[in-house]
């Protein structure tokens, strides 16, 4: 009997001690486990990589951090990232990691489900960063959940137990994750028709330029 339980990789895109995004990732872990899915909780430190360099790739393939991410991505049905917003975009280290991992074949993001969270002291909770993070992930064929949870004024949002102090917001957080997990579970157990990853769907087929799996 194949495993029907959803497996979910959860990590924060921040390396900072005391990171608000790490606190949100820990809370997501709790909510996902409470919903009955299995969590593989990771630290961004596990995935630390040098700057992407095509010469280095040609010589040695993926560096250990990118390889570790690839292996854990492939072992899970879904991923949840709690990412800081840096200068209205995603952190460079996260984009660098995505670039490295995108070089592996079969391309590991394809058909994997993703959910994006962010936390920031600002009023919009780092939501602009998630729109930029969505772009490469969707380009790579990840099924990024339409709802994104951005925790505004995050430095004041947590209670002593690590939960969200506002009970309505806490319920909304759990419901959003539950909706995502139900969709992943449905897709896992009732697979859709999509079989191939085509980087540029409308491009004329041509052996020299095709990026099709
Ligand atoms: C380089 C840099 C750029 C930042 N840019 C933004 C920004 O555009 N929007 C925002 O809401 N916060 C921005 N911040 C503040 C972060 O949201 C804040 O430091 C947050 O706590 C970082 O996430 P972390 O706590 O998970 O490390 C920036 C912080 C840094 C270090």
């Amino acid at each position: 009997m194949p495993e029907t339980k959803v497996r979910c990789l959860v990590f924060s895109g921040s390396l900072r001690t005391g990171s608000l995004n790490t606190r949100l990732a820990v809370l997501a872990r709790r909510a996902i486990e409470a919903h009955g899915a299995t969590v593989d909780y990771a630290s961004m430190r596990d995935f630390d990589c040098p700057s992407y360099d095509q010469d280095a790739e040609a010589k040695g393939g993926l560096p250990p951090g990118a390889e570790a991410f690839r292996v854990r991505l492939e072992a899970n049905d879904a991923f949840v990232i709690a990412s800081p917003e840096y200068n209205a975009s995603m952190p460079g280290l996260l984009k660098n990691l995505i670039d490295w991992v995108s070089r592996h074949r079969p391309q590991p993001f394809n058909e994997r489900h993703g959910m994006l969270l962010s936390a920031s002291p600002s009023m919009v909770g780092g939501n602009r960063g998630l729109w930029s993070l969505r772009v490469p992930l969707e380009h790579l064929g990840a099924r990024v959940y339409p709802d994104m949870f951005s925790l505004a004024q995050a430095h004041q949002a947590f209670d002593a137990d690590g939960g969200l102090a506002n009970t309505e917001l806490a319920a909304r957080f759990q419901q959003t994750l539950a909706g995502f997990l139900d969709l992943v579970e449905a897709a896992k157990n009732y697979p859709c028709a999509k079989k191939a990853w085509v980087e540029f769907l409308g491009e004329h087929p041509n052996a020299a330029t095709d990026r099709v799996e």
Side-chain angles (χ1 to χ4, degrees), residues 12-23 82-89 119-129 154:
S12 155
S14 175
L15 295 170
R16 191 173 76 85
T17 312
S19 155
L20 297 168
N21 284 280
T22 302
R23 290 168 80 175
S83 173
E85 176 179 279
Y86 287 170
N87 299 309
S89 186
S120 160
S122 85
M123 293 296 282
V124 280
N127 189 257
R128 290 169 304 179

Side-chain angles (χ1 to χ4, degrees), residues 5 24 37 43 57 67 72 79-80 99 105 107 109 111-112 116 129 139 143 145 164 175 180 185 188 195:
K5 222 171 151 175
L24 194 60
S43 158
E57 185 201 347
E67 184 60 13
R72 287 173 80 168
F79 59 88
V80 172
D99 290 342
R105 294 293 178 273
Q107 196 270 99
F109 287 102
E111 293 195 59
R112 214 141 252 116
L116 306 183
H139 170 79
R143 294 168 181 177
Y145 195 59
L164 296 179
Q175 280 157 15
F180 169 67
E185 190 184 354
K188 180 180 167 83
K195 293 284 175 240

Side-chain angles (χ1 to χ4, degrees), residues 81-201:
I81 310 176
S83 173
E85 176 179 279
Y86 287 170
N87 299 309
S89 186
M90 82 186 92
L93 79 170
L94 206 45
K95 178 62 163 55
N96 187 49
L97 178 63
I98 293 168
D99 290 342
W100 271 114
V101 173
S102 72
R103 305 293 293 171
H104 184 83
R105 294 293 178 273
Q107 196 270 99
F109 287 102
N110 185 37
E111 293 195 59
R112 214 141 252 116
H113 292 259
M115 170 139 198
L116 306 183
L117 316 174
S118 64
S120 160
S122 85
M123 293 296 282
V124 280
N127 189 257
R128 290 169 304 179
L130 297 188
W131 282 105
S132 73
L133 179 55
R134 176 178 279 277
V135 171
L137 295 174
E138 291 206 353
H139 170 79
L140 292 167
R143 294 168 181 177
V144 185
Y145 195 59
D147 293 343
M148 304 188 284
F149 188 94
S150 293
L151 184 62
Q153 298 181 298
H155 58 305
Q156 298 168 337
F158 293 95
D159 62 23
D161 187 39
L164 296 179
N166 183 308
T167 51
E168 274 178 56
L169 198 57
R172 205 187 290 161
F173 181 69
Q174 279 174 3
Q175 280 157 15
T176 308
L177 277 166
F180 169 67
L181 293 167
D182 289 348
L183 184 67
V184 178
E185 190 184 354
K188 180 180 167 83
N189 298 311
Y190 303 94
C192 304
K194 183 181 170 188
K195 293 284 175 240
W197 176 63
V198 181
E199 187 163 19
F200 299 104
L201 273 171

